[in-house]
Amino acid sequence: MAFTDDKWAVRFFTLWAGQALSLLGSQLVQFAIIWHLTTATNSATTLAITSMMGLLPGVLLSPFIGTWVDRGNRKQLLIAADSIVAITTLILALLFAFNVDRVWHIYAALFIRAVAGGFHQSAFGASVVLLVPKEQLTRIQGFNQALYGGLNIISAPLGAYLLAGMPLQGILLIDVTTALIAVTILFFIHIPQPERKEQTQNTFWQDFAAGFRYIIAWRGLVILLGLVMVINFFFTATEPLTPLLIMNQFKGDAQSLGLWLALFAVGNLLGGLILGAWGGFKRKVATAQLGLILTGLSAVIVGVVPPELFWLGLTANAAMGLFLPIING
């Protein structure tokens, strides 16, 4: 058994609190760096490359990370991931403090943070099912969704507020501190390992190939993954341009961007609640199609709204956040 007493909640929520604090620090850094690059370069190419540095590790390494986490020690992987994030961010903060930072330093730091984040996300997700009783997993998933939704709402406005009175290296040091707190908590939490009777018989590549064959054999899953890939490709391409949209089209500042992102997160949270209460149509594909159509219409409004109607852009952007859970759910 992964747990043998009634103290699982204390262990899990202690770990959960540390990880939530670390996640908030990471989101503050993400916002601060994006706005810094927006004002310093006003370059769509720079923002696109920045976004790619954060996304590319997940695209290229996710299948390998999942197999590695299944075979490795989850606690050690979490400690290593948080430590690498802290060290990388500390180095970047020192570069800014001594005014020797370059854009490529940010690219490299974001890439390393994304790799560590991929291991962290996979290891934490795999640990939850071993720390929490099976009958409590649904409730815990609800807590996790509330955590991500809540942090997405407050992180952008908080990042904008901090930028108004703090240098970028100060915000980076906040992330270093929260990561170190998460690491410290991990040293005192026992995370059980899954039982693997055949662990010594399978190599890393055998485990990887088994997972790949499982996906290929499921024709419907392959089609669904292909559709999701195409949709995400086009929507992800617009994300790096959001700061430029705010600054150049709407003549906004960091507070405007923070409000834009926060309202999107509010819409996302409300969309999840609506789907949870409604459950969708009987034909699930019809629910997803409705969400896609409404999301597309909202995106068109965001693209054509004139600068003086910023409030309409905010509303359409919040609507996009509202409809995305309808698709993903």
Side-chain angles (χ1 to χ4, degrees), residues 81-157:
D82 281 335
S83 299
I84 290 172
V85 167
I87 293 170
T88 303
T89 308
L90 177 60
I91 293 173
L92 190 59
L94 292 174
L95 292 174
F96 276 103
F98 291 104
N99 293 317
V100 294
D101 58 285
R102 299 292 183 270
V103 173
W104 72 265
H105 293 149
I106 297 176
Y107 291 160
L110 290 178
F111 185 87
I112 295 171
R113 283 170 57 95
V115 173
F119 277 97
H120 180 280
Q121 183 178 7
S122 183
F124 184 73
S127 300
V128 168
V129 296
L130 298 174
L131 286 167
V132 177
K134 184 177 180 180
E135 63 274 12
Q136 299 292 338
L137 283 175
T138 302
R139 292 179 59 203
I140 294 302
Q141 180 63 9
F143 278 118
N144 285 335
Q145 293 298 318
L147 167 68
Y148 294 133
L151 290 182
N152 285 335
I153 292 171
I154 68 173
S155 60

Side-chain angles (χ1 to χ4, degrees), residues 268-314:
N268 210 253
L269 188 59
L270 290 176
L273 293 175
I274 290 172
L275 183 63
W278 169 37
F281 297 118
K282 185 175 182 180
R283 294 182 69 248
K284 302 305 179 185
V285 67
T287 307
Q289 286 174 329
L290 176 65
L292 277 172
I293 292 170
L294 295 176
T295 301
L297 291 175
S298 302
V300 170
I301 295 174
V302 169
V304 302
V305 65
E308 62 271 16
L309 295 180
F310 180 57
W311 65 269
L312 181 57
L314 282 173

